[in-house]
Amino acid sequence: MLDAEADRRAFQRRLDAERSAAERNRMGQFATPEPLAMEIARYAHRLRNGCREPVAFLDPAIGTGSFYSALRRVFRDQEIADACGVELDPRFVDAARNLWSQSGLRLIPGDFTQLAPDRSYNLILANPPYVRHHHIDRIPKNRLKAAVAERYGWTISGLAGLYAHFLLLADAWMSPGGLALWLIPSEFLDVNYGAILRFYLTEKIKLLHIHRFAPADVQFGDALVTSAIVAFEKAEPPADHRVKLSLGGSIADPIESEAIPLAELRRARKWSGRVGGKAGWTGPSPTLGDFFAIRRGLATGANAFFILDRREARQKGIPEEFLRPILPSSRHLPAAIIEADSDGYPAIETSLAIVDCDLPESVLQRDHPRFWAYLESGKTMGVHEGYLASRRTPWYAQERRDPAPFLCTYMGREKSGAGPFRFFWNRSRAIAANVYLMLYPRGPMENVLSARADLYPIVFDHLRSIGGDLLVREGRVYGGGLHKMEPGELARLPAVELGRVIEEAVATAVRGGGHPPGSAGASGRRSRSGPTGPA
Ligand SMILES: C[S@@+](CC[C@H](N)C(=O)[O-])C[C@H]1O[C@@H](n2cnc3c(N)ncnc32)[C@H](O)[C@@H]1O
């Protein structure tokens, strides 16, 4: 058996040498070092705790078979009833066949994410390909998203790496009570696009243990990622279930370890601080509120009176200077990016304007009689006596607001495959009513965006990558499945990735000798400036 492992390592070396590190990175081809594969197989043996049912083993990304090799050394022959490996790269399929078919390993060549289970398995040991999202083309990415949506009804972020899809889709291959140990990058503990995995791990299965290797202890010298082993059972967790979280050393003998109630983990937005949390290797995690002043859109007090179709407003003789563009409700927005027309109104069919003027009525009567007549018609309907209007001077003046470059809908219902909340990138001058939350860049985000317009799309991608489930969990649900999100709730969402974008931008500016311009405040109060976001 040792010979077989020596042969495997020889194959591995040969195949690795055929590709550059960059190519292997794109294919997610970083083999598990032999001692680590053994550590994981031994731990799986221990977790099975003398289980009598023989092993039906699956490695969904088998490579040359490090885990299968370790399995055969840790488990007795009689304990292994079946073993199967899936592999996409024909070179590895051949190698694995050469090495293991004699021993009874079945090989399925192909893309694991496109296969239906051939049977169910009670033990998965896996080091799935760590292919980053920007190496996954649009069509396969959409297919992967659809596969996750079909199984769970969840929207997986476009920023999720292939490993996340592997773990979620492997659920269909597991038998009830089956055990899985996944070696995956530890980033999922904190980043927004890891939310869907955290949700799966706390809601769908019985999470047993997450062991995180110390950041200095990089498992794959050439892949440059810190790794975690996630162990779980396909079972309903008991009400008082606790999850073991550990850090450093080995999974069987960690340096730090604690057992955290599952309920607490469900509530935590970021997990790395909890894994061996006392020392905390990371500072407090940034949240959206660190980067954006988030405010509800404008409350006019009488939308039907103050918000008009732009053409209608002109016909009524309301001068342009007393009109400001305002967004229609999100169902009238055809795309997530709101482009501007030549005068800054949204380039969409339903172009709306809000009446906004602080001149006294007497001046309007004298200088703009048709506009004054429109306001008078409001009085006959009692608009000026409404709760908000009656507290304003004059009653038709609106709160002063700048347009915000990013918006999130304030409420919505879950549709199949899509969460209830939607983000928009507003490149127009339009402000928004209170059916939206307005996100005004603040602090470092404001500095960086004002110096680097090219970062708007990246920031927008990150906002959109906030998993629907995370938004749902943070917001509130009302009768009939209506979800709402208050500004404070959105502000509390983790924004680790956005933090990295800012750090990188600042580092680049410093390296390049440039420096981000100073902050101008981000209260969202109107500065009479032009459109926000690069036009
Ligand atoms: C990180 S390596 C792990 C290999 C082996 N299990 C180990 O631990 O050493 C991931 C393997 O998955 C394969 N792979 C990549 N994409 C795949 C896919 N869509 N379906 C199945 N295998 C895939 C790669 O060729 C590579 O051999």
Side-chain angles (χ1 to χ4, degrees):
M1 250 189 259
L2 273 177
D3 286 352
E5 171 56 22
D7 288 349
R8 187 197 67 78
R9 288 212 295 267
F11 265 103
Q12 186 74 51
R13 273 195 300 276
R14 206 171 322 137
L15 293 175
D16 283 351
E18 286 174 15
R19 299 278 191 268
S20 68
E23 285 167 326
R24 287 165 56 211
N25 194 301
R26 266 197 299 282
M27 280 291 289
Q29 290 179 331
F30 291 95
T32 313
E34 191 261 346
L36 183 55
M38 283 299 282
E39 181 183 325
I40 292 173
R42 281 199 198 100
Y43 197 64
H45 195 265
R46 185 167 131 188
L47 286 177
R48 275 175 53 91
N49 194 18
C51 166
R52 288 249 182 88
E53 193 192 350
V55 165
F57 165 82
L58 173 72
D59 183 338
I62 194 155
T64 57
S66 336
F67 286 123
Y68 179 62
S69 172
L71 181 90
R72 294 179 69 239
R73 280 174 287 153
V74 171
F75 288 69
R76 285 174 291 125
D77 280 353
Q78 318 77 285
E79 288 180 287
I80 306 173
D82 187 24
C84 174
V86 180
E87 174 58 51
L88 181 63
D89 185 335
R91 300 175 311 134
F92 282 101
V93 175
D94 285 348
R97 203 169 263 141
N98 246 304
L99 286 160
W100 308 116
S101 52
Q102 292 280 327
S103 71
L105 175 75
R106 288 181 301 112
L107 272 165
I108 305 182
D111 176 351
F112 176 70
T113 64
Q114 297 199 59
L115 294 172
D118 65 330
R119 59 159 291 176
S120 59
Y121 295 87
N122 61 17
L123 181 61
I124 292 183
L125 303 182
N127 169 8
Y130 180 38
V131 179
R132 286 166 191 266
H133 79 97
H134 49 263
H135 288 142
I136 310 175
D137 290 336
R138 193 171 52 83
I139 292 171
K141 196 182 270 187
N142 287 342
R143 186 183 46 69
L144 287 165
K145 275 183 142 180
V148 171
E150 192 188 342
R151 178 153 186 84
Y152 299 99
W154 304 337
T155 312
I156 188 165
S157 157
L159 301 181
L162 188 56
Y163 72 91
H165 300 91
F166 258 71
L167 195 152
L168 293 170
L169 296 174
D171 185 83
W173 297 63
M174 290 183 76
S175 53
L179 185 68
L181 282 86
W182 289 81
L183 177 62
I184 56 177
S186 59
E187 64 189 18
F188 84 95
L189 295 167
D190 294 338
V191 294
N192 287 338
Y193 55 80
I196 198 164
L197 284 186
R198 300 196 292 273
F199 193 65
Y200 170 79
L201 294 173
T202 48
E203 304 294 335
K204 293 284 175 192
I205 47 85
K206 181 175 165 190
L207 181 58
L208 302 172
H209 187 170
I210 300 178
H211 175 73
R212 187 172 159 184
F213 293 96
D217 181 11
V218 175
Q219 294 303 309
F220 307 91
D222 38 6
L224 281 179
V225 288
T226 53
S227 315
I229 301 170
V230 181
F232 59 86
E233 192 183 323
K234 185 162 174 169
E236 203 42 51
D240 56 352
H241 183 57
R242 284 174 173 263
V243 179
K244 183 170 177 183
L245 300 180
S246 62
L247 163 67
S250 69
I251 188 167
D253 187 16
I255 293 170
E256 289 180 51
S257 163
E258 57 182 321
I260 300 223
L262 177 64
E264 206 174 300
L265 214 49
R266 280 183 173 139
R267 280 195 304 272
R269 280 173 222 98
K270 172 180 176 282
W271 286 4
S272 74
R274 299 310 319 248
V275 184
K278 320 164 225 158
W281 330 307
T282 51
S285 153
T287 62
L288 277 187
D290 292 324
F291 302 124
F292 296 99
I294 303 176
R295 305 184 60 191
R296 263 306 275 284
L298 221 66
T300 66
N303 286 353
F305 180 75
F306 289 113
I307 300 177
L308 295 90
D309 186 284
R310 194 182 181 194
R311 275 172 311 218
E312 190 194 338
R314 279 202 196 117
Q315 279 159 12
K316 290 188 188 300
I318 306 176
E320 279 294 332
E321 60 189 294
F322 304 131
L323 294 172
R324 305 191 68 206
I326 188 160
L327 293 173
S329 84
S330 60
R331 58 172 193 283
H332 295 297
L333 291 177
I337 302 179
I338 305 161
E339 299 292 352
D341 66 14
S342 55
D343 56 358
Y345 271 73
I348 52 175
E349 223 165 90
T350 328
S351 200
L352 300 182
I354 178 170
V355 174
D356 176 17
C357 167
D358 44 21
L359 295 180
E361 287 177 66
S362 55
V363 175
L364 295 180
Q365 186 176 16
R366 189 190 64 213
D367 297 343
H368 304 285
R370 289 188 67 205
F371 180 29
W372 177 77
Y374 180 69
L375 295 175
E376 283 299 293
S377 74
K379 280 191 177 169
T380 61
M381 295 183 288
V383 175
H384 64 309
E385 290 165 349
Y387 179 81
L388 290 175
S390 62
R391 284 164 175 74
R392 297 190 295 234
T393 315
W395 60 272
Y396 40 82
Q398 301 296 339
E399 189 193 338
R400 301 188 164 242
R401 282 289 183 92
D402 273 332
F406 302 111
L407 300 145
C408 177
T409 47
Y410 169 66
M411 58 186 165
R413 288 173 203 285
E414 253 170 305
K415 293 169 204 83
S416 61
F421 302 105
R422 290 170 70 196
F423 281 96
F424 292 93
W425 174 14
N426 176 26
R427 304 180 73 186
S428 78
R429 247 180 348 109
I431 53 170
N434 53 7
V435 289
Y436 292 96
L437 299 178
M438 302 174 80
L439 282 71
Y440 295 97
R442 71 195 269 169
M445 179 65 80
E446 189 183 21
N447 293 345
V448 161
L449 284 179
S450 58
R452 295 269 314 270
D454 59 307
L455 290 180
Y456 275 90
I458 295 168
V459 169
F460 184 49
D461 266 359
H462 280 287
L463 287 174
R464 290 213 293 178
S465 79
I466 299 175
D469 50 288
L470 194 66
L471 288 164
V472 166
R473 217 197 286 185
E474 197 57 56
R476 304 144 191 237
V477 194
Y478 290 77
L482 181 70
H483 294 263
K484 282 190 186 168
M485 174 81 75
E486 296 299 337
E489 291 161 343
L490 189 61
R492 278 199 295 275
L493 288 183
V496 178
E497 285 298 302
L498 276 179
R500 286 197 191 129
V501 172
I502 303 287
E503 268 170 29
E504 251 170 54
V506 170
T508 314
V510 170
R511 271 200 303 274
H515 36 83
S519 160
S523 64
R525 295 220 161 263
R526 180 156 44 159
S527 64
R528 303 244 174 233
S529 63
T532 1

